[in-house]
Structure formats: structure tokens, C-alpha cells
Amino acid sequence: MMFAMLLSAMAASAQKFALVDMEYILKNIPAYERANEQLNQVSKKWQAEVEALSTEAQTMYKNYQNEVVFLSQEQKKERQDAIMEKEKAAAELKRKYFGPDGELFKKRASLMTPIQDEIYNAVKDIADLRGYQLVVDRAGNTGIIFGSPKIDISNEVLQKLGYSY
């Protein structure tokens, strides 16, 4: 009798867990792919701007090296200052675009947060409907060695979001 109760308790708790594959879900949401493409394009554009400034600084330095013997101390100082200013501008632009709180971070958040919120709400609705206490992302580094496809609700999440798979 005790063994049967333990087995039924284990079966009941096993039904309270589900898996999702966020990589699979995101690959099947066109808005996510469009957002990624937009981020790639803006990142390339900004990288080109940073590289242009860096190239200008390198060119200024090469010219300085070629002309240094003909320059007065005052001219040398002016050129060195101009080169350092250009290098500083390139570094500042790089930080502005790609730093921890940079434009790329803000752009990624503005594009991805609505998609992530929509997925979260779909997962939460399904979890509430089915009584799941825990939904784990099988694509993440969670250490899941095996997850039964029977408890994977990824396709259900996509259907809830309006994508039929």
C-alpha cells in the first residue's frame, strides 16, 4: 500500500515538469530572425565607423613617422596630440556602440525583449493551464542529460504564439 502511494506521488510530481527548447522556438519565429539580421546590419555599420576612425589614426601615425625628421618640436607635439585624439575618438566610439551599456546592447534589448516576453507569457499560460511547476530550457546549459519528448512543450508554445508546427 505504501509503495503504491509513493509511486502515485512520484507520477503526480513528474507531470508537473516540462521542457522547452528555446533555440528551436526562436528559430521558428520570423520576428527573431529579422531582429537578428537588423542587429547584424547595424553592428557592421557601427564597426565600419569605428574602423574608419582607427584607420585615420594609423594613417596619421604613418605620415607622422615619415615626416618626423622635418618637424619642429612644436609640430611633433601637435601631430602626436592629434593622433592621440583620433585614437581616443575611435575608442570612445567603440565604447559608445559596443560597450556594456552601449547602443548595440540597447538595440538588442529593444528588439529582443518583446519577443522574449511573448514567449515567456506563452510558456507561463501553458504551465498554468497544465499545472507545471517548473519549465526548463533544454537548449540551455542546465545539465539535462535526458528529457522525454513527451514533456517538451516547444511546439505548443509556438502554436500559442500563432506559429503552427
Side-chain angles (χ1 to χ4, degrees):
M1 179 73 171
M2 186 67 138
F3 182 73
M5 287 173 51
L6 180 64
L7 240 122
S8 80
M10 286 174 55
S13 70
Q15 294 173 352
K16 303 232 189 268
F17 300 95
L19 297 174
V20 294
D21 186 335
M22 286 300 292
E23 285 180 20
Y24 171 76
I25 290 171
L26 291 170
K27 282 180 187 173
N28 285 286
I29 297 178
Y32 177 77
E33 293 299 321
R34 285 192 303 271
N36 260 338
E37 183 55 36
Q38 197 174 347
L39 286 171
N40 286 337
Q41 288 175 359
V42 77
S43 177
K44 285 177 187 174
K45 177 183 172 252
W46 289 342
Q47 185 63 37
E49 288 179 34
V50 170
E51 287 173 6
L53 276 180
S54 293
T55 300
E56 281 182 50
Q58 289 171 358
T59 302
M60 289 170 69
Y61 181 71
K62 285 177 187 171
N63 291 341
Y64 169 77
Q65 284 180 319
N66 292 335
E67 299 167 0
V68 72
V69 293
F70 305 111
L71 301 175
S72 68
Q73 281 303 111
E74 188 177 305
Q75 289 172 323
K76 287 179 187 178
K77 174 88 172 101
E78 285 175 10
R79 294 275 186 94
Q80 289 169 356
D81 289 347
I83 292 166
M84 287 175 36
E85 197 59 39
K86 190 63 75 173
E87 288 173 342
K88 183 179 175 188
E92 286 176 8
L93 190 61
K94 184 175 184 176
R95 186 179 37 73
K96 175 187 170 194
Y97 287 149
F98 301 108
D101 292 322
E103 296 300 315
L104 188 62
F105 175 81
K106 292 174 188 171
K107 185 82 169 165
R108 179 175 284 118
S110 74
L111 292 172
M112 297 302 184
T113 299
I115 296 167
Q116 291 168 336
D117 289 348
E118 193 176 9
I119 293 169
Y120 171 80
N121 289 331
V123 169
K124 185 180 179 313
D125 289 349
I126 293 167
D128 288 345
L129 180 70
R130 300 246 180 130
Y132 296 131
Q133 295 173 336
L134 177 69
V135 178
V136 179
D137 180 8
R138 77 167 47 226
N141 294 327
T142 57
I144 296 174
I145 296 171
F146 172 78
S148 170
K150 293 177 185 176
I151 63 170
D152 188 330
I153 60 169
S154 301
N155 283 328
E156 193 172 348
V157 171
L158 285 167
Q159 287 172 344
K160 180 126 182 98
L161 292 170
Y163 306 101
S164 54
Y165 291 93

